[in-house]
């Protein structure tokens, strides 16, 4: 136990192997790309005349092609500052030959202003363009249909296996996440959140463009290789297929083992990015797959059963770690108990159960779990440190309780007059005498009130 919290939770920022390309697309992708490129090239020839800085300039459409289509790319960018030079700048440049250098500088400044304002116009057009759907209403995830697909009845359902074609583009033009075919479980945490959300809104055969803020892509961590931190990515996606998952009941134990382990690895991916909610979701899926009933029964002592139990153990342990990070102590307790049901002497399960009890304020049970863990692994420093911290906390807590009890009983032996015990006896006598007098008065009143 290296650190007491991670055995299987890795820091690798990579997709599980199961999400790599699985083959070629149905039909010719080149034909589809050329068709879309031809359509968008025609759109690129149309320009929008805008007034920039008080001058008439020609601003290309924000989603036009830049020159010819290269490598099947179906998206271009605005050619900033390539409008006509304003008339007043032309006159200024030709009217004073002696100051040619200064005039040229002024023209360049004018073009720079045009670039900035062109970008503002582009942003404004994106915000008001009715073709763009702001999926979450915060401007961080926008979708535009390029080729219309089937109607709403053809949209995939959560939990189905969907296959898409994808190509991403960073702001500097770098191509990322390019797949002829990639298959994943919809809304199961297998891919970035933007894909889960957008594909859910696509009809079969639809192709769309999606602008994704880093929040719904690879966040502040980025992804190796090729995706920097806090990267905004523009994707083109096409929905190729959607189908129900295979029936777990008829799935072989070997297939279940493979699928469950991929879900666990995906949970590790989210854990390494501090997204503990998605991590728990993936670990929970792994457990459900591995614990589902099967048509074929395996021998209890068979190798495949041992592999399944090992993955279950890791999944529950990692899920407990994620739940502890999120301070969900009740669910973490259940995960730890599931670990110990599989392996009663699992050190990580005992350690994390101790931390759960400590978080819930039950120091006695916490210390008991840690002492059992340290007996099993006496060389693990993190358990020693945690146990030492809890023992000190328990001692301090008991001292506070004793002090509180002394105050309640009036034991103030350190009072300035040094009266200590005798003073307290006098006070208790006074209290008892007053109480007796009150009881006598009540009894006398009761007797006198009788007829």
């Amino acid at each position: 136990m290296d650190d007491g919290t991670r055995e299987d939770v890795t820091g690798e920022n990579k997709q599980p192997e199961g999400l790599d390309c699985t083959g070629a697309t149905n039909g010719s992708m080149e034909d589809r790309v050329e068709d879309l490129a031809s359509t968008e090239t025609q759109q690129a020839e149309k320009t929008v005349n805008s007034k920039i800085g008080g001058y008439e300039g020609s601003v290309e459409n924000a989603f036009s092609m830049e020159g010819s289509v290269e490598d099947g790319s179906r998206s271009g960018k605005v050619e900033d500052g390539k409008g006509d030079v304003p008339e007043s700048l032309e006159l200024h440049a030709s009217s004073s030959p002696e100051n040619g250098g200064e005039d040229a500088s002024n023209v360049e400044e004018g073009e720079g202003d045009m670039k900035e304002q062109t970008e503002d116009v582009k942003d404004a057009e994106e915000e008001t363009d009715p073709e763009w759907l702001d999926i979450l209403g915060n401007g961080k995830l926008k979708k535009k249909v390029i080729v219309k697909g089937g109607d709403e009845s053809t949209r995939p359902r959560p939990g189905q296996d969907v296959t898409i074609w994808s190509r991403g583009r960073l702001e500097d033009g770098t191509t990322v996440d390019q797949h002829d075919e990639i298959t994943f479980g919809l809304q199961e945490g297998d891919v970035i959140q933007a894909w889960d959300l957008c594909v859910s809104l696509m009809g079969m055969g639809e192709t769309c463009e999606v602008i994704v803020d880093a929040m719904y892509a690879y966040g502040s961590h980025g992804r190796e290789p090729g995706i920097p931190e806090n990267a905004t990515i523009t994707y083109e996606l096409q929905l190729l297929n959607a189908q129900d998952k295979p029936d777990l009941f008829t799935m072989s134990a070997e297939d279940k083992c493979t699928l469950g382990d991929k879900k666990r690895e995906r949970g590790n991916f989210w854990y390494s990015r501090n997204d503990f909610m998605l991590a728990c979701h993936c670990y929970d899926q792994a457990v459900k797959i591995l614990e589902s009933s099967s048509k074929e029964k395996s021998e209890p002592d068979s190798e495949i059963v041992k592999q399944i139990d090992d993955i279950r153990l890791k999944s529950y342990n990692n899920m407990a770690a994620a739940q502890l990070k999120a301070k969900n102590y009740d669910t973490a307790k259940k995960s730890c108990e599931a670990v110990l049901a599989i392996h009663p002497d699992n050190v990580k399960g005992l350690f994390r159960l101790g931390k759960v009890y400590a978080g819930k304020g039950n120091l006695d049970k916490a210390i008991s779990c840690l002492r059992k863990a340290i007996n099993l692994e006496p060389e693990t420093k993190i358990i020693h440190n945690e146990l030492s911290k809890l023992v000190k906390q328990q001692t301090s807590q008991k001292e506070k309780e004793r002090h509180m009890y002394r105050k309640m009983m009036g034991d103030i032996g350190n009072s300035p007059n040094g009266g200590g015990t005798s003073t307290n006896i006098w006070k208790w006598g006074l209290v008892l005498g007053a109480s007796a007098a009150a009881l006598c008065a009540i009894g006398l009143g009761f007797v006198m009130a009788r007829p």
Side-chain angles (χ1 to χ4, degrees):
M1 179 170 176
D2 297 332
D3 60 1
T5 58
R6 295 189 300 274
E7 177 182 16
D8 313 294
V9 176
T10 63
E12 296 178 0
N13 294 335
K14 64 180 182 180
Q15 300 283 354
E17 295 179 359
L19 297 184
D20 290 338
C21 299
T22 57
T25 53
N26 298 328
S28 173
M29 289 303 303
E30 293 181 359
D31 293 343
R32 187 176 68 253
V33 171
E34 289 176 0
D35 292 341
L36 293 175
S38 175
T39 302
E40 292 192 14
T41 303
Q42 293 175 5
Q43 294 176 353
E45 295 174 354
K46 299 179 182 180
T47 59
V48 181
N49 291 326
S50 304
K51 290 186 177 181
I52 302 176
Y55 302 106
E56 293 291 335
S58 178
V59 182
E60 294 189 1
N61 186 284
F63 297 94
S64 65
M65 302 296 296
E66 184 180 21
S68 60
V69 177
E70 297 181 3
D71 299 326
S73 175
R74 293 176 283 181
S75 297
K77 60 181 179 180
V78 177
E79 297 184 6
D80 297 334
K82 291 191 178 180
D84 298 331
V85 178
E87 183 180 355
S88 60
L89 290 178
E90 292 179 340
L91 292 173
H92 182 69
S94 61
S95 62
S96 180
E98 297 178 358
N99 298 324
E102 180 181 350
D103 294 337
S105 175
N106 290 337
V107 172
E108 292 176 358
E109 291 178 2
E111 289 181 344
D113 292 339
M114 289 177 65
K115 288 181 180 180
E116 294 178 359
Q117 296 183 46
T118 300
E119 292 175 356
D120 293 341
V121 170
K122 172 185 171 182
D123 293 340
E125 287 178 349
E126 284 185 6
E127 291 176 1
T128 58
D129 191 341
E131 295 182 356
W132 282 97
L133 172 64
D134 188 349
I135 293 177
L136 300 174
N138 57 7
K140 296 183 181 295
L141 182 60
K142 294 186 288 186
K143 171 180 176 285
K144 180 180 181 179
V145 176
I146 298 175
V147 177
K148 189 174 181 180
D151 58 21
E152 291 186 7
S153 65
T154 67
R155 289 179 178 177
R157 299 185 305 277
Q160 284 189 312
D161 282 336
V162 296
T163 302
I164 67 170
W165 174 92
S166 72
R167 177 185 289 123
R169 186 178 72 253
L170 301 179
E171 291 178 302
D172 64 2
T174 302
T175 298
V176 296
D177 283 342
Q178 183 169 354
H179 302 279
D180 285 341
E181 283 189 356
I182 180 171
T183 301
F184 56 92
L186 187 59
Q187 295 187 18
E188 292 186 355
D190 290 347
V191 291
I192 59 174
Q193 295 180 63
W195 284 18
D196 270 337
L197 292 168
C198 290
V199 173
S200 298
L201 300 175
M202 295 175 67
M204 187 57 59
E206 176 183 321
T207 300
C208 68
E209 183 174 18
V210 185
I211 300 176
V212 184
D213 183 83
M215 178 185 298
Y216 303 108
Y218 294 97
S220 60
H221 293 78
R223 192 204 68 192
E224 294 294 338
I227 299 179
E229 59 187 28
N230 299 315
T232 296
I233 307 176
T234 300
Y235 284 105
E236 290 175 73
L237 307 175
Q238 182 181 17
L239 179 57
L240 302 176
N241 189 35
Q243 61 184 15
D244 293 334
K245 290 182 176 297
D247 186 1
L248 291 175
F249 182 72
T250 59
M251 187 179 292
S252 68
E254 289 77 10
D255 289 342
K256 281 186 180 183
C257 188
T258 300
L259 182 58
D261 201 37
K262 286 180 179 177
K263 293 293 185 182
R264 180 189 63 83
E265 288 177 355
R266 189 62 183 175
N268 293 350
F269 170 83
W270 290 118
Y271 186 99
S272 69
R273 307 172 81 80
N274 297 326
D275 195 329
F276 304 119
M277 183 183 71
L278 278 175
C280 288
H281 181 64
C282 291
Y283 294 137
D284 185 61
Q285 286 181 335
V287 167
K288 287 180 178 177
I289 291 168
L290 297 169
E291 293 184 348
S292 62
S293 58
S294 298
K295 184 177 181 180
E296 297 180 1
K297 303 298 181 182
S298 302
E299 293 296 328
D301 296 331
S302 64
E303 189 63 30
I304 190 62
V305 170
K306 291 179 181 178
Q307 291 179 17
I308 288 176
D309 284 344
D310 182 60
I311 299 171
R312 285 175 58 220
L313 186 74
K314 292 176 180 178
S315 298
Y316 275 124
N317 242 328
N318 292 348
M319 183 155 52
Q323 290 161 341
L324 275 170
K325 290 284 188 180
K327 299 187 184 303
N328 294 329
Y329 297 119
D330 290 335
T331 53
K333 181 174 178 289
K334 292 179 180 178
S335 297
C336 291
E337 289 171 346
V339 169
L340 298 175
I342 300 170
H343 193 313
D345 291 334
N346 184 268
V347 174
K348 290 189 177 221
L350 289 167
F351 175 79
R352 287 173 180 144
L353 184 58
K355 295 193 72 173
V356 166
Y357 282 127
K360 293 170 69 70
N362 193 332
L363 295 182
D364 290 337
K365 286 189 176 181
I367 291 172
S368 175
C369 289
L370 292 180
R371 281 178 174 161
K372 186 174 181 180
I374 213 168
N375 287 335
L376 295 168
E377 275 192 18
E379 72 282 0
T380 306
K381 291 183 178 179
I382 192 169
I383 305 179
H384 282 280
N385 294 338
E386 188 69 20
L387 180 60
S388 176
K389 182 180 74 173
L390 292 183
V391 169
K392 290 179 180 178
Q393 187 178 341
Q394 185 186 53
T395 302
S396 175
Q397 181 176 311
K398 287 183 177 180
E399 181 60 33
K400 288 179 181 179
E401 290 175 355
R402 283 194 294 267
H403 181 68
M404 181 182 67
Y405 293 147
R406 284 197 299 267
K407 291 184 71 174
M408 289 175 62
M409 298 298 295
D411 185 5
I412 49 175
N414 295 325
S415 61
N417 59 14
T421 305
S422 61
T423 302
N424 289 331
I425 292 174
W426 178 80
K427 287 182 178 179
W428 278 108
L430 184 61
V431 170
L432 291 173
S435 300
L439 290 173
C440 289
I442 293 172
L444 182 61
F446 178 77
V447 172
M448 293 179 66
R450 295 180 65 183

